[in-house]
């Protein structure tokens, strides 16, 4: 009975954040018969005489001998419906995205795959007809056909068919990046097709786009998902939309939209530059994984091909950057930089890609990655997925072995940490923040952390305040190339290629443990690494200092 009650409370604390429109559409899509959503057969008279688009970013999925290689895994193309029982939902989604098609060298192979998909997938109650893969497939087919100057009435009719289906299945039950990609697909079809319906797609897509950009893009240029990976995907979306509009005969219908796109792209580049390591990898905050989104350099090269080179910052200076709306801060000097996480879980009504990582950080010294969050290697519901989202998998502090935010069921968050104070001192290269994620415990613990970057050191100060006695565990996850060597009771030397890079100095009252862990730079990727854990029993209030020092 107690377990059931806890589960009910978990659901209540999750559902209460949903928007009313999400609940309405969840019910609507459950009760509406599929037969009422099936598109009518309409002949698309001709395709717009669209110019050849600029080549988009290279995709991470590839086609190899009747299979798709994606997420570091080979997925065979099924005979019949493109929904393999041996693949996860995410893998089946990727199979149906057709991301690989723009990089197929022989266009005839691409056409054979399009023909196969059209003939194989006639059942609307299957994954190939879910709105998200439908959206991405529409976009990727249009890119492929435009790049290769292919005019085929059958393909055009099927793009119309998929777009009409999409208009009746827009993902208002999910919102966020799903609805945004729905709008992108409508714009692609609208600027590509020349039919009675295509102008309606432009109107509907523009309306959703304008609303969602205002909703999803923060004033500091960050995506409200607060994930560098999803931010990069959204930035690619904007470049793609700019691309298709510019080559369409209907370009004159979108001058205002083009101007908005340019200024938005510029803001998003600055944010992404701040959250990118010198190695080119994105910081692993929330769901963020290498090999899914285009790299920063690939996005810049794409912007160059669109004559948008002025829209991005060539390189950051060494001054600190505070992304005040997102809650992230980058402290940097000539020797080191640290990316600090003072972000809330967000957005409230769609936190599926959030981790319990509040007040975590990543750091590099002399362009060598030192401290890393554990990353994301899989989606779905599993113990490993839950572990990777947990507080203990990030460079932050855990109280009473509990997560700072109640992440559960793969993509759910119930009670979540809120930032209750934040302060940035540019001159002192200092950032501090505190959160209330542990106020739900009987101890009502507040965790406050500050980072101060000096010329040859980083000082981290953790303050804990609460009621009675509680346990703290503070984690420092090391990049797989970094080897720890405890040299004193309160010192750990961190080595790279048999040379000492820096020394971690800590409060001697803390119990230290160096153990094995795993680091996940990409989907399906696991590398062994080491994690340093500091434990202490706190009564009421305590302060602990950590210092990372280098020559």
């Amino acid at each position: 009975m107690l377990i059931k009650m806890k589960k009910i409370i978990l659901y209540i604390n999750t559902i209460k954040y949903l928007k009313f429109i999400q609940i309405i559409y969840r019910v609507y899509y459950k009760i509406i018969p599929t037969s009422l959503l099936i598109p009518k057969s309409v002949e698309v008279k001709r395709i717009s005489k669209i110019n050849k688009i600029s080549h988009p970013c290279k995709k991470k999925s590839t086609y190899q001998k009747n299979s798709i290689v994606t997420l570091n895994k080979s997925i065979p193309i099924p005979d019949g419906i493109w929904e393999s029982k041996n693949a996860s939902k995410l893998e089946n989604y990727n199979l149906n995205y057709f991301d690989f098609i723009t990089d197929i060298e022989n266009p005839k192979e691409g056409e054979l795959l399009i023909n196969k998909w059209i003939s194989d997938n006639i059942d609307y109650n299957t994954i190939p007809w879910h709105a998200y893969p439908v959206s991405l497939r529409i976009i990727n087919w249009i890119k492929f056909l435009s790049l290769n100057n292919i005019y085929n009435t059958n393909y055009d009719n099927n793009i119309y068919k998929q777009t009409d289906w999409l208009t009746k299945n827009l993902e208002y039950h999910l919102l966020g990046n799903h609805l945004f990609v729905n709008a992108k697909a409508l714009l692609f079809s609208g600027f590509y097709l020349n039919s009675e319906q295509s102008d309606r797609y432009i109107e509907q897509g523009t309306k959703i786009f304008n609303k969602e950009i205002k909703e999803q893009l923060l004033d500091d240029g960050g995506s409200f998902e607060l994930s560098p990976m999803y931010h990069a995907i959204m930035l690619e979306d904007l470049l793609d939309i700019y691309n298709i509009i510019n080559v369409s005969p209907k370009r004159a219908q979108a001058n205002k939209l083009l101007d908005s796109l340019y200024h938005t792209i510029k803001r998003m580049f600055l944010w992404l530059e701040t959250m990118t390591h010198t190695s080119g990898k994105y910081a692993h905050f929330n769901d963020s994984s290498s090999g899914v989104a285009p790299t920063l350099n690939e996005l810049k090269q794409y912007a160059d091909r669109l004559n948008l080179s002025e829209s991005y910052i060539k390189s950051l200076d060494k001054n600190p950057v505070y992304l005040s709306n997102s809650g992230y801060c980058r402290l940097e000097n000539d020797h080191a930089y640290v990316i600090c996480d003072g972000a809330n879980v967000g957005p409230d009504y769609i936190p599926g890609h959030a981790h319990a990582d509040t007040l975590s950080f990543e750091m590099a010294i002399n362009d060598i990655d030192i401290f890393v969050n554990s990353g994301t290697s899989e989606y779905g519901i599993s113990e490993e997925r839950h572990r990777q989202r947990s507080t203990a998998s990030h460079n932050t502090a855990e109280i009473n072995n509990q997560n700072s935010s109640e992440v559960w069921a793969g993509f759910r968050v119930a009670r979540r940490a809120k930032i209750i104070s934040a302060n940035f001192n540019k001159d002192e290269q200092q950032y501090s923040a505190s959160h209330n994620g542990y106020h739900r415990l009987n101890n009502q613990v507040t965790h406050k952390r500050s980072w101060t970057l000096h010329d040859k050191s980083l000082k981290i100060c953790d303050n804990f305040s609460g009621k009675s006695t509680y346990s703290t565990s503070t984690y420092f996850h090391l990049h797989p190339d970094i080897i720890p060597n405890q040299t004193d009771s309160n010192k750990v030397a961190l080595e790279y290629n048999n040379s000492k890079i820096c020394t971690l100095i800590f409060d001697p009252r803390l119990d230290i443990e160096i153990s094995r862990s795993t680091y996940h730079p990409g989907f399906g990727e696991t590398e062994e690494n080491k994690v340093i854990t500091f434990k202490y029993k706190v009564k009421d209030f305590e302060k602990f200092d950590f210092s990372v020092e280098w020559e």
Side-chain angles (χ1 to χ4, degrees):
M1 185 66 181
L2 182 61
I3 294 174
K4 286 184 178 179
M5 193 63 192
K6 286 183 177 179
K7 194 74 171 179
I8 291 171
I9 293 171
L10 196 65
Y11 271 101
I12 291 171
N13 284 319
T14 303
I15 294 171
K16 70 182 182 182
Y17 292 100
L18 293 178
K19 288 191 172 186
F20 182 67
I21 192 173
Q22 290 176 286
I23 298 171
I24 290 297
Y25 271 87
R26 283 172 190 268
V27 174
Y28 172 73
Y29 287 138
K30 288 287 185 183
I31 64 174
I32 187 74
T34 303
S35 59
L36 296 181
L37 303 175
I38 294 175
K40 297 177 182 178
S41 181
V42 176
E43 185 78 12
V44 179
K45 293 183 179 179
R46 68 177 179 87
I47 196 168
S48 298
K49 293 299 180 183
I50 194 165
N51 297 317
K52 185 175 181 179
I53 64 171
S54 297
H55 205 288
C57 287
K58 185 175 177 62
K59 294 300 180 181
K60 309 304 178 185
S61 298
T62 56
Y63 173 69
Q64 292 181 1
K65 296 181 180 179
N66 297 317
S67 65
I68 307 303
V69 179
T70 184
L71 306 176
N72 296 305
K73 185 176 179 179
S74 180
I75 306 171
I77 296 175
D79 290 326
I81 297 171
W82 289 33
E83 183 178 336
S84 173
K85 294 180 179 179
N86 298 320
S88 68
K89 182 178 179 181
L90 179 63
E91 290 164 351
N92 277 315
Y93 265 38
N94 275 268
L95 180 67
N96 283 279
Y97 292 163
F98 270 76
D99 271 350
F100 56 86
I101 198 167
T102 54
D103 293 314
I104 288 181
E105 291 185 6
N106 183 357
K108 292 296 182 184
E109 268 191 299
E111 290 192 74
L112 287 173
L113 288 168
I114 290 177
N115 289 326
K116 177 172 171 54
W117 189 95
I118 291 173
S119 63
D120 286 350
N121 297 285
I122 57 175
D123 184 352
Y124 291 92
N125 294 301
T126 57
I127 280 179
W129 286 97
H130 286 194
Y132 194 68
V134 166
S135 298
L136 289 176
R137 186 169 55 249
I138 289 168
I139 294 162
N140 286 318
W141 282 14
I142 290 174
K143 287 180 182 179
F144 170 75
L145 297 173
S146 173
L147 283 168
N148 294 286
N149 295 316
I150 296 170
Y151 295 87
N152 184 301
T153 301
N154 187 38
Y155 302 157
D156 301 341
N157 287 336
N158 199 268
I159 288 172
Y160 160 75
K161 184 177 181 180
Q162 293 185 59
T163 309
D164 189 66
W165 168 263
L166 177 62
T167 62
K168 300 169 183 174
N169 290 273
L170 295 169
E171 295 175 277
Y172 283 107
H173 61 303
L174 295 176
L175 300 176
N177 66 308
H178 279 247
L179 184 59
F180 185 83
V181 170
N182 297 165
K184 176 184 175 183
L186 292 175
L187 289 170
F188 258 67
S189 283
F191 284 106
Y192 181 73
L193 297 174
N194 187 24
S195 65
E196 293 180 9
Q197 294 80 15
S198 58
D199 286 347
R200 178 166 56 87
Y201 298 154
I202 292 175
E203 182 180 353
Q204 188 177 15
T206 301
K207 183 178 179 180
I208 297 172
F209 175 87
N210 287 335
K211 183 177 180 181
E212 290 305 307
I213 277 290
K214 187 176 180 180
E215 171 80 3
Q216 295 189 33
L217 199 66
L218 305 175
D219 288 345
D220 60 16
S223 162
F224 73 167
E225 296 260 18
L226 300 174
S227 155
M229 180 183 80
Y230 280 100
H231 179 101
I233 291 171
M234 186 178 184
L235 178 52
E236 181 188 17
D237 288 338
L238 298 190
L239 292 170
D240 279 345
I241 295 169
Y242 192 96
N243 193 356
I244 193 70
I245 293 174
N246 260 304
V247 298
S248 174
K250 303 178 184 181
R251 185 184 187 281
Q253 295 177 225
N255 285 333
K256 186 180 290 187
L257 182 56
L258 282 172
D259 187 59
S260 173
L261 281 168
Y262 175 80
H263 292 290
T264 304
I265 288 166
K266 189 172 184 179
R267 289 161 59 204
M268 292 188 75
F269 264 121
L270 178 59
W271 191 96
L272 192 59
E273 186 103 36
T274 304
M275 301 298 292
T276 302
H277 288 284
T278 53
S279 63
K281 293 181 180 179
Y282 299 133
H284 284 157
F285 296 115
N286 297 312
D287 279 341
S288 203
S289 185
S290 299
V292 176
T295 66
L296 178 61
N297 282 338
E298 286 171 339
L299 289 167
K300 288 181 176 181
Q301 290 165 9
Y302 189 16
D304 284 342
R305 292 194 292 275
L306 297 174
N307 296 316
L308 289 174
S309 58
E310 292 301 315
S311 70
Y312 62 80
I313 309 299
K314 291 292 184 182
S315 61
L316 288 174
D317 55 27
K318 300 299 181 182
N319 291 322
V321 177
Y322 179 37
L323 302 169
S324 58
N325 304 104
S326 303
Y328 295 116
C329 183
R330 183 183 181 115
L331 307 175
E332 185 167 10
N333 59 29
D334 289 335
H335 307 285
Y337 63 86
V338 56
I339 306 175
C340 314
D341 177 6
N344 284 311
V345 170
D348 273 345
Y349 57 88
I350 181 173
H353 296 297
H355 289 203
D357 60 0
T358 312
L359 303 190
S360 62
F361 72 100
E362 296 194 338
M363 183 184 185
I365 300 173
N366 296 324
D367 295 335
I368 298 170
D369 293 334
I370 306 295
F371 299 113
V372 293
N373 290 310
S374 295
T376 303
S377 69
E378 61 181 69
Y379 280 171
I381 301 174
S382 68
E383 288 186 12
E384 179 59 19
R385 166 69 173 161
H386 183 72
R387 186 191 72 81
Q388 290 177 16
R389 296 180 77 201
S390 71
T391 299
S393 292
H394 300 84
N395 298 315
T396 187
E398 175 191 69
I399 305 299
N400 289 350
N401 300 314
Q402 298 291 311
N403 289 322
S404 57
S405 294
E406 288 183 305
V407 293
W408 65 286
F411 297 98
R412 301 283 184 262
V413 187
R415 290 171 291 184
R416 64 278 312 255
K418 294 287 185 182
I419 297 297
I420 53 180
S421 69
N423 184 63
F424 170 60
N425 188 322
K426 183 175 182 179
D427 294 334
E428 296 293 328
Q429 284 261 35
Q430 184 181 79
Y431 177 59
S432 64
S434 62
H435 75 83
N436 66 0
Y438 293 112
H439 284 193
R440 70 179 190 272
L441 305 181
N442 291 334
N443 310 93
Q444 296 182 10
V445 180
T446 298
H447 177 205
K448 180 179 180 180
R449 170 172 281 187
S450 67
W451 299 263
T452 307
L453 184 62
H454 302 288
D455 186 47
K456 292 295 181 69
S457 69
L458 170 70
K459 182 178 180 181
I460 301 171
C461 180
D462 277 337
N463 285 274
F464 301 99
S465 59
K467 298 178 180 179
S468 68
T469 302
Y470 50 92
S471 63
T472 67
S473 299
T474 302
Y475 302 94
F476 288 82
H477 294 265
L478 303 176
H479 188 275
D481 292 337
I482 302 301
I483 306 300
N485 180 22
Q486 188 167 0
T487 58
D488 206 338
S489 60
N490 70 325
K491 293 181 181 179
V492 178
L494 302 181
E495 300 175 354
Y496 173 79
N497 281 347
N498 297 318
S499 297
K500 188 175 80 170
I501 297 297
C502 61
T503 301
L504 175 59
I505 304 171
F506 52 92
D507 192 308
R509 293 173 297 164
L510 295 167
D511 293 327
I512 179 176
E513 177 184 305
I514 301 175
S515 57
R516 291 182 178 180
S517 187
T518 53
Y519 171 63
H520 308 277
F523 273 93
E525 294 182 350
T526 297
E527 299 179 24
E528 286 193 1
N529 71 332
K530 295 293 180 66
V531 56
I532 306 173
T533 306
F534 300 98
K535 298 185 177 183
Y536 193 79
K537 290 284 187 180
V538 175
K539 186 175 182 180
D540 300 328
F541 171 82
E542 206 67 72
K543 173 185 174 183
F544 301 109
D545 289 333
F546 301 89
S547 181
V548 183
E549 300 182 357
W550 56 90
E551 298 296 327

